[in-house]
Amino acid sequence: MHRELIGEAPGAHIIRVTDPCKPLEIDLSRPLEIEVGCGKGQFLTRRAAENPDCDFLGIERMLERVRLFDGKCRRANLSNAKVLRLEALYTFHYLLPAHHARTVYVFFPDPWPKKKHHSHRLFGPLFRTALWKRLEIGGKLEFATDHKEYFDEVCEGFATDARYERVDPMPRPKEVWTEFETMFREQGLPIYSAAWKSLPGDDAPLAPLTIPPEAEPREGIVRRTSNTPGCNEIFMQSQRILAAEDA
């Protein structure tokens, strides 16, 4: 991946997905670290600058943050960092190589605090399975949030999953704070962090993702009757959601 990252033109560090069913071109000879919800890149671009022998991939939904991430990479002349604007679950399910990522960072994901919205939370059986499929055996997930109830829920989910073992989380000096962590700490909010490493397990192929009816757009889209859409349909649904957020 790192050989494709060099370039100073705007957008040079933004991955363009042209085939939603084709995995990303990742250099398997180099380690890979991924941040879900990388924001403007404060944490991941620093990691990339300090670790030139590793590749870094940020996943971010918000277009303006993606552009700011790209700008940070160009100004720092980073050749080992890129950002992808796509849903995290889709990316982990379809676009990443098996058992290659050494670390995945998920810092301050949306907690969806209202109970009726809990189904939108990132951490659930589907994401844990896709995450395990992409982590190298012994690879780590680093997780942090300011939301205690969500933290407890995530910890409970991993505690019941035999493919993971809880380990000590990384230290959190000011140098590793994300934009959100900086803001939350300035407000005096407590920060909860945890980490897990992946263990050997059943390496069965991932089943196709499905779109529940309630997740379909309500205007301008004809509902499908099939409940087993392929990756192309899931990808287009994800792109429609992102386009609606930009409007």
Side-chain angles (χ1 to χ4, degrees):
M1 182 171 73
H2 64 296
R3 288 187 292 273
E4 300 175 0
L5 301 180
I6 299 174
E8 295 301 321
H13 296 261
I14 302 174
I15 295 176
R16 315 291 180 181
V17 176
T18 57
D19 185 344
C21 299
K22 181 181 178 181
L24 301 178
E25 294 184 6
I26 303 292
D27 187 345
L28 299 181
S29 70
R30 290 167 57 87
L32 174 68
E33 296 188 1
I34 302 169
E35 184 181 9
V36 176
C38 60
K40 303 171 187 176
Q42 179 171 303
F43 169 75
L44 204 63
T45 57
R46 187 182 184 110
R47 287 282 302 164
E50 294 173 347
N51 298 272
D53 294 329
C54 179
D55 285 334
F56 294 85
L57 173 64
I59 302 172
E60 174 57 54
R61 289 171 53 118
M62 304 298 289
L63 179 59
E64 185 59 28
R65 295 174 185 170
V66 167
R67 290 170 173 164
L68 290 170
F69 184 108
D70 172 62
K72 279 187 173 71
C73 291
R74 289 186 287 112
R75 288 191 296 274
N77 197 29
L78 295 176
S79 63
N80 60 334
K82 267 200 171 182
V83 61
L84 174 67
R85 186 173 183 238
L86 199 58
E87 291 283 350
L89 176 57
Y90 181 91
T91 302
F92 275 78
H93 201 92
Y94 288 113
L95 301 184
L96 297 174
H99 301 301
H100 181 64
R102 73 178 183 186
T103 310
V104 174
Y105 305 97
V106 185
F107 296 146
F108 307 95
D110 192 334
W112 294 97
K114 294 183 179 180
K115 188 173 182 179
K116 65 180 180 180
H117 294 152
H118 283 188
S119 62
H120 299 315
R121 289 175 166 177
L122 175 64
F123 285 100
L126 283 176
F127 183 71
R128 284 201 309 271
T129 294
L131 171 68
W132 180 85
K133 191 77 171 179
R134 306 313 170 195
L135 281 171
E136 65 185 17
I137 301 303
K140 289 180 65 179
L141 168 72
E142 294 280 357
F143 170 62
T145 180
D146 65 307
H147 197 280
K148 183 61 163 60
E149 182 270 332
Y150 189 27
F151 178 77
D152 291 340
E153 178 183 287
V154 171
C155 291
E156 181 179 348
F158 277 99
T160 62
D161 195 322
R163 296 168 298 184
Y164 294 95
E165 177 184 334
R166 190 163 178 173
V167 294
D168 292 334
M170 62 186 285
R172 306 200 65 79
K174 190 172 184 178
E175 291 74 23
V176 304
W177 294 357
T178 66
E179 294 95 337
F180 280 117
E181 182 164 2
T182 300
M183 179 179 65
F184 294 147
R185 287 187 182 274
E186 288 176 350
Q187 295 173 3
L189 297 176
I191 303 299
Y192 308 96
S193 61
W196 295 268
K197 72 174 183 180
S198 65
L199 303 174
D202 181 7
D203 210 1
L206 296 174
L209 291 174
T210 62
I211 301 175
E214 63 271 16
E216 288 277 13
R218 296 185 180 181
E219 297 180 5
I221 302 295
V222 177
R223 289 193 187 279
R224 292 184 296 274
T225 56
S226 170
N227 63 355
T228 56
C231 63
N232 216 355
E233 294 170 292
I234 296 285
F235 175 79
M236 294 308 297
Q237 164 70 349
S238 175
Q239 295 301 91
R240 286 194 291 268
I241 291 173
L242 294 177
E245 290 177 349
D246 291 340

